[in-house]
Amino acid sequence: MLPVYRRADTLVHGLHPLAALLLVAVLATTSLLSADPVWAGAAFLLTLAFIGVSGNWGGCRPFLRLGMWMAGAMALINPLVNHQGVHVLVYGPRLPGWGHLNITLEALLYGIFAGVRVFTVIAACGLLAVAVNPDELLDLLSRLALRSSLAAALAVRLYPGMVVEAARMRETQLARGERLEEGGPWKRLRSHLPLWQSLLRGSLDRAASIAEAMSSRGFGSGERTTWRKRTFQPRDLLTALSCLVVLGSLLAARLAGPAYSFFPTPDDPLRSWGPLMPFLPAAGMLSLTFLAWGWRSWHWLRSRI
Amino acid sequence: MGEMALVEIEDVTYWYPRSGEPALRGVSLELEEGEFVLVTGPTGCGKTTLLRLLNGLVPRFHGGRMAGRVLVEGRDTRRVEPGELARRVGMVFQDPEDQLITTTVEREIAFGLQNAGLPSPLIAKRVEEMLAGLGLSRLRDRFIPGLSGGEAQKTALAAALALHPALLVMDEPTSQLDPLGAEELLTLVRRIHEETGTTVVMTEHRLERCYHYATRVLHMREGRIVFDGSPREAALWCAVNDDDFAPPVARVFVRAGWEDTPLTVNGARTLLRESGCLNGKPREGMIPPEAGGRDLIGKGKASELARLHGVHYRYPGGKTALRGVDLDLRPGGHLALLGENGAGKSTLLRCLLGLLAPDRGKVSLMGKRPTPRLLPELAPLLAYCPQNPSSFFVASTVREELLRTMRLRGREGKAAEEEADGILTRLGLEGLAGRDPRDLSSGEREKVVLAAALMSPPPRLLVLDEPTRGLDHPSKREVIEILGECGERDSTLLLVTHDVEFAASVAERAALMGCGAVIAEGPSFEVLGDSLFFSPQVNRLLGDICPGVMREEEAVKFLREARENCGR
């Protein structure tokens, strides 16, 4: 079961949804948009450090596990399907319609690089899921699309109930004597089908009941107001500034020269960086980690931000 | 010109879409400000439809045809903007899970206020007011799926009250709650009614919980209001005309021939004291302790059927649910397992059925260690009725559901079909054979699950988890009758319930659980009789003067004799 938002005392939980959204966007996009292994590595380390220091390690663990599997799969599969690169590590057999199954150092490095990027994006999304209040986030987005935001909020609200209901149904059917645990994947899939159908039917009934409850509370009748509970605090400003520094550095690095390439041989990772460039993103990233640490461990700092 | 009523319903007849029969037939009613109205009646009599009429959900949301009109504060509900009506009529539905929309408690309270277009500072004020007033402050940031049923229902109540409605409508708000949560909610509603003068209209199955709060009772049958009067008059009328819908204390007095109809245990004891019937020593021997005449310890060895010995279980999240539980189920015995939410009852059931593997201790079911892979093998010997019957249903009709059960027990073909049809007829379910079981009422669904349990071969062990949750009194009576049939077939019964009246009617043994352990176990009349809160109402009424009285028939017998002796 994927984790869902839980109230906790961490910096991310205490941020204004706009600042929290910016933070997660920076963690994800830094890794996703950059073709540079130094950036990707830094984003990877920052994301892990930030999740750990901000106290969200436990909540994000299922996402980190998923990210690890996906990163591992990419690192393994890429060298098998990508034959670019000049340094051949293993000479494989020739496969009909495929060619030589050679594994190159460059393809292996690129696979690891792609895996690290995917891992970072999944971890950042995990942080968003467990530490940012979906109601507040969707309230923020509701100016653009109220109904879609509400639908998303309802999905977040109903998902845990659906998981519990699915587990309850499975247990009941097992106790009834259904052979749900037997056979291969195909047989198991078939034996679970009636349960899923029933679960879907139950979810549709629940959706109709929720719609009725919404109607009884005046939803869809007249202008709706928003309730802004949080105001922008110094911590939000500091977080946003740090994020902007990191994003700005990334854009500057992208504009400074051609994109990094692994093939035919990997480029020099620092070739397009000016003398001060590494300090800017490092400062931004460190200040984010420092804020997360201060929120938990330094009362003076916390009381002032 | 007289003062205008808060609600006026004028000769309303209403048909749901695609329904030939009207759900309401010529209903006329006036509700005054400050009333606490209890609506009673059997399932399907139109109570819920009447409630939905008050806030315009009928016909606006449900569609269908309506004749007559409904005025709230003098304005026709079909002509008022739904948002405006929502501000005047607050609604709390039956299932907390189906009515909460957002993810946290304070956001839920704010939802209706935002829909009403209130400015942000006023929303903040109202939210704070509700959190403090209803004792929800400590839950303000809590994630809604993590709330208990009682907390969730209190949140729904707060969300309805935040709009400061003139009328609060509640449709069986406690039917999905445990007794503690139900009591807390009803006490809160009574306080709101008394302190704010808000008009309350409520339907409720457990009449003993709220009859005495009401200032007026409406009794419905087949879409009509057949009685409208004070609670005392209604109790007397129902006890004579429709005794399933009188509160239990009033019912036993009327059945025993008393002219007075007390509504509470305290009122009844005052009446008995004034009549001189409470004087003297306890009348031992009048009611035999083994009332019901069942064998108290069952027959044979526990190890043949089911046994838990020193069972410990801790959930991966860290919560210890069972601490050294010892429990024996002897063949033919009926055991009720009671205790508040979180006491470990459901975990015990799951360990017993092999759905959870205990951390320590031994579990034996039919002489084997239960596991999910063993359960298909045990299907002909074991029947399990879950708390929520919906999780039982996977087929598209009631009949298919029964045939599926037969298949799992190794029986197919013409004989199986005939037996399925036979049992549907015997339980009065033949008209529902082709219906989707999920579309049935709570009582009908429970009966279908029990029908499946009764299919042959008769199970050696029948496990029931909260079988009376959400059921009205007639449905409960039917369930008791069906379980009596299981007893005749020598099936062993393990019952998990919060309903002490039901436990006293069905089980001759009871076990009380608390903090993951069995705190007390023994004959029902001992475990339940020696308790202030886990005892049936008739026992609280007469337990000290007539030890062992657990069931209504026994109380009626005592009260009849007492009346004759006192010359009343």
Side-chain angles (χ1 to χ4, degrees):
Chain A
M1 177 184 162
L2 286 175
V4 287
Y5 172 77
R6 294 263 188 284
R7 186 85 189 101
D9 185 23
T10 75
L11 174 71
V12 195
H13 284 87
L15 286 178
H16 188 281
L18 185 62
L21 192 62
L22 192 61
L23 169 71
V24 171
V26 163
L27 292 177
T29 53
T30 305
S31 173
L32 201 63
L33 295 181
S34 171
D36 189 322
V38 174
W39 273 101
F44 168 75
L45 291 176
L46 169 72
T47 307
L48 282 187
F50 190 82
I51 288 173
V53 171
S54 68
N56 286 296
W57 196 261
C60 290
R61 196 175 293 147
F63 286 95
L64 299 180
R65 207 177 292 136
L66 175 72
M68 218 164 66
W69 278 106
M70 291 196 64
M74 290 184 95
L76 283 175
I77 293 168
N78 189 64
L80 296 176
V81 295
N82 186 345
H83 301 145
Q84 296 181 76
V86 294
H87 298 96
V88 180
L89 297 175
V90 178
Y91 287 94
R94 184 183 171 80
L95 299 177
W98 185 264
H100 283 284
L101 193 64
N102 294 343
I103 293 175
T104 66
L105 173 68
E106 289 77 13
L108 184 64
L109 287 175
Y110 187 74
I112 294 171
F113 166 73
V116 163
R117 289 166 84 185
V118 166
F119 178 91
T120 310
V121 172
I122 292 175
C125 291
L127 192 62
L128 181 75
V130 300
V132 182
N133 185 330
D135 281 332
E136 289 180 4
L137 188 61
L138 295 165
D139 233 16
L140 185 78
L141 302 175
S142 65
R143 287 184 183 177
L144 304 171
L146 168 65
R147 282 168 204 276
S148 312
S149 310
L150 192 73
L154 271 171
V156 170
R157 217 298 273 126
L158 295 176
Y159 171 71
M162 205 166 150
V163 170
V164 170
E165 183 58 28
R168 211 182 281 156
M169 283 182 76
R170 191 176 161 278
E171 286 188 351
T172 303
Q173 298 308 321
L174 277 172
R176 206 178 162 188
E178 287 282 5
R179 296 176 187 275
L180 299 176
E181 304 272 295
E182 293 174 13
W186 178 240
K187 194 179 172 208
R188 284 185 185 214
L189 185 75
R190 275 182 46 195
S191 58
H192 276 84
L193 266 181
L195 266 72
W196 292 336
Q197 281 170 352
S198 191
L199 191 67
L200 181 66
R201 167 71 202 272
S203 302
L204 291 175
D205 288 345
R206 179 150 291 167
S209 302
I210 294 259
E212 187 183 18
M214 287 167 70
S215 177
S216 79
R217 284 160 68 188
F219 183 76
S221 167
E223 189 91 353
R224 192 170 191 269
T225 49
T226 50
W227 179 35
R228 304 242 177 273
K229 210 188 142 201
R230 284 186 200 259
T231 51
F232 228 65
Q233 299 293 318
R235 58 179 174 271
D236 300 309
L237 196 65
L238 288 170
T239 304
L241 278 176
S242 305
C243 289
L244 290 174
V245 166
V246 176
L247 265 182
S249 313
L250 171 69
L251 285 175
R254 286 298 299 263
L255 294 173
Y260 185 89
S261 173
F262 281 84
F263 307 104
T265 55
D267 292 338
D268 174 8
L270 300 175
R271 79 205 187 291
S272 58
W273 290 46
L276 285 176
M277 284 301 283
F279 295 105
L280 282 171
M285 289 175 174
L286 281 175
S287 74
L288 283 173
T289 315
F290 176 74
L291 282 175
W293 168 81
W295 184 262
R296 292 183 77 195
S297 312
W298 191 8
H299 176 73
W300 182 88
L301 178 70
R302 182 174 172 153
S303 65
R304 271 148 188 84
I305 61 171
Chain B
M1 195 175 138
E3 206 172 301
M4 187 178 63
L6 178 66
V7 176
E8 291 168 78
I9 299 177
E10 295 174 358
D11 196 22
V12 167
T13 300
Y14 171 71
W15 293 260
Y16 278 103
R18 296 180 298 280
S19 171
E21 287 291 305
L24 294 175
R25 298 163 194 261
V27 172
S28 293
L29 180 69
E30 281 193 5
L31 299 175
E32 302 296 337
E33 229 180 278
E35 284 188 310
F36 191 128
V37 182
L38 180 65
V39 185
T40 64
T43 303
C45 70
K47 303 187 297 283
T48 297
T49 310
L50 178 71
L51 262 50
R52 277 157 173 71
L53 205 61
L54 299 173
N55 65 354
L57 285 174
V58 162
R60 178 171 39 84
F61 182 83
H62 289 276
R65 283 183 298 136
M66 186 173 116
R69 61 177 190 159
V70 181
L71 306 176
V72 173
E73 295 180 326
R75 301 167 70 191
D76 192 325
T77 54
R78 280 183 291 187
R79 297 206 169 84
V80 185
E81 270 293 303
E84 218 175 302
L85 199 57
R87 293 177 73 161
R88 303 309 297 151
V89 185
M91 178 107 187
V92 177
F93 295 85
Q94 203 177 92
D95 191 344
E97 191 54 23
D98 287 354
Q99 60 183 311
L100 300 180
I101 295 141
T102 64
T103 53
T104 60
V105 170
E106 59 180 3
R107 287 275 157 191
E108 187 64 32
I109 298 172
F111 181 79
L113 302 167
Q114 290 178 269
N115 293 338
L118 267 55
S120 194
L122 187 56
I123 294 176
K125 178 178 167 278
R126 294 268 185 98
V127 169
E128 211 50 48
E129 180 190 353
M130 286 302 130
L131 289 171
L134 273 66
L136 291 167
S137 298
R138 70 188 168 83
L139 304 175
R140 69 167 66 228
D141 290 326
R142 281 275 295 278
F143 190 48
I144 280 178
L147 299 178
S148 71
E151 289 168 344
Q153 205 62 316
K154 266 165 88 174
T155 304
L157 176 63
L161 284 175
L163 286 155
H164 291 185
L167 175 63
L168 180 63
V169 179
M170 306 181 85
D171 187 8
E172 291 176 22
T174 69
S175 67
Q176 304 300 315
L177 308 186
D178 62 88
L180 196 73
E183 205 57 59
E184 235 180 278
L185 186 81
L186 289 173
T187 309
L188 200 58
V189 174
R190 185 193 194 182
R191 208 189 89 206
I192 289 159
H193 173 248
E194 283 178 355
E195 289 180 7
T196 66
T198 306
T199 308
V200 178
V201 181
M202 178 194 271
T203 60
E204 175 63 50
H205 283 323
R206 299 290 300 269
L207 299 172
E208 68 276 14
R209 286 180 187 154
C210 59
Y211 220 82
H212 51 295
Y213 293 170
T215 57
R216 181 177 172 190
V217 176
L218 305 176
H219 187 64
M220 293 188 73
R221 264 203 179 275
E222 291 167 358
R224 291 191 175 87
I225 296 174
V226 292
F227 182 86
D228 180 356
S230 73
R232 202 165 290 278
E233 291 164 350
L236 184 61
W237 187 90
C238 286
V240 173
N241 297 289
D242 201 352
D243 83 344
D244 278 324
F245 297 96
V249 173
R251 189 162 55 223
V252 292
F253 273 79
V254 171
R255 283 174 62 194
W258 288 64
E259 285 172 12
D260 303 280
T261 48
L263 300 177
T264 61
V265 170
N266 191 29
R269 286 184 67 85
T270 306
L271 177 64
L272 288 173
R273 207 176 299 115
E274 285 168 358
S275 315
C277 299
L278 278 188
N279 302 333
K281 293 176 185 169
R283 303 175 58 171
E284 281 182 31
M286 183 182 163
I287 304 294
E290 54 279 75
R294 291 194 56 80
D295 178 3
L296 291 181
I297 53 167
K299 302 158 213 154
K301 289 180 184 170
S303 54
E304 289 171 14
L305 193 69
R307 168 177 280 173
L308 291 102
H309 182 64
V311 171
H312 289 256
Y313 186 80
R314 187 184 174 93
Y315 280 99
K319 191 193 164 206
T320 302
L322 295 179
R323 300 165 198 265
V325 170
D326 291 308
L327 198 70
D328 287 350
L329 283 176
R330 291 172 195 277
H334 288 189
L335 173 71
L337 208 54
L338 296 111
E340 66 171 326
N341 277 354
K345 305 184 296 296
S346 296
T347 309
L348 185 149
L349 278 195
R350 294 166 81 195
C351 283
L352 180 69
L353 296 173
L355 299 168
L356 291 177
D359 299 331
R360 264 193 288 158
K362 280 185 183 167
V363 182
S364 144
L365 183 63
M366 319 280 176
K368 294 176 180 170
R369 189 171 68 85
T371 60
R373 283 180 183 273
L374 181 72
L375 288 169
E377 212 179 286
L378 297 180
L381 307 171
L382 175 75
Y384 171 60
C385 304
Q387 191 176 106
N388 182 358
S390 299
S391 60
F392 188 88
F393 301 132
V394 285
S396 55
T397 68
V398 168
R399 191 167 182 271
E400 276 177 36
E401 202 64 68
L402 296 191
L403 292 175
R404 191 183 183 91
T405 305
M406 297 285 269
R407 259 200 308 279
L408 293 170
R409 291 190 188 170
R411 296 195 57 213
E412 280 183 89
K414 192 92 182 138
E417 286 179 23
E418 277 170 13
E419 188 180 338
D421 293 336
I423 205 152
L424 286 173
T425 309
R426 193 146 47 87
L427 299 182
L429 297 169
E430 67 275 24
L432 308 177
R435 295 262 307 271
D436 188 323
R438 284 155 288 227
D439 288 339
L440 306 179
S441 71
S442 309
E444 289 166 340
R445 274 184 282 174
E446 195 63 50
K447 276 170 74 179
V448 172
V449 174
L450 284 171
L454 285 175
M455 308 290 278
S456 64
R460 284 181 64 197
L461 175 62
L462 175 58
V463 180
L464 297 139
D465 193 358
E466 292 285 359
T468 60
R469 195 167 179 148
L471 298 196
D472 60 10
H473 193 262
S475 306
K476 210 191 292 184
R477 196 161 30 78
E478 283 179 271
V479 170
I480 292 172
E481 281 165 19
I482 297 169
L483 292 179
E485 200 171 313
C486 291
E488 284 164 21
R489 293 175 171 211
D490 268 346
S491 294
T492 303
L493 184 68
L494 175 60
L495 170 76
V496 170
T497 185
H498 284 300
D499 188 337
V500 282
E501 266 81 16
F502 180 70
S505 304
V506 170
E508 78 283 346
R509 277 175 74 211
L512 186 63
M513 284 194 78
C515 295
V518 176
I519 307 293
E521 195 204 342
S524 296
F525 67 87
E526 270 181 27
V527 176
L528 304 180
D530 182 30
S531 166
L532 202 56
F533 296 108
F534 284 102
S535 60
Q537 220 179 15
V538 290
N539 186 269
R540 274 179 263 162
L541 173 65
L542 300 171
D544 56 343
I545 47 174
C546 184
V549 65
M550 301 294 286
R551 304 174 193 183
E552 280 189 27
E553 306 81 64
E554 296 156 9
V556 169
K557 185 180 167 198
F558 172 83
L559 287 172
R560 192 172 289 136
E561 284 186 17
R563 180 178 59 84
E564 283 159 8
N565 293 340
C566 300
R568 286 180 71 103

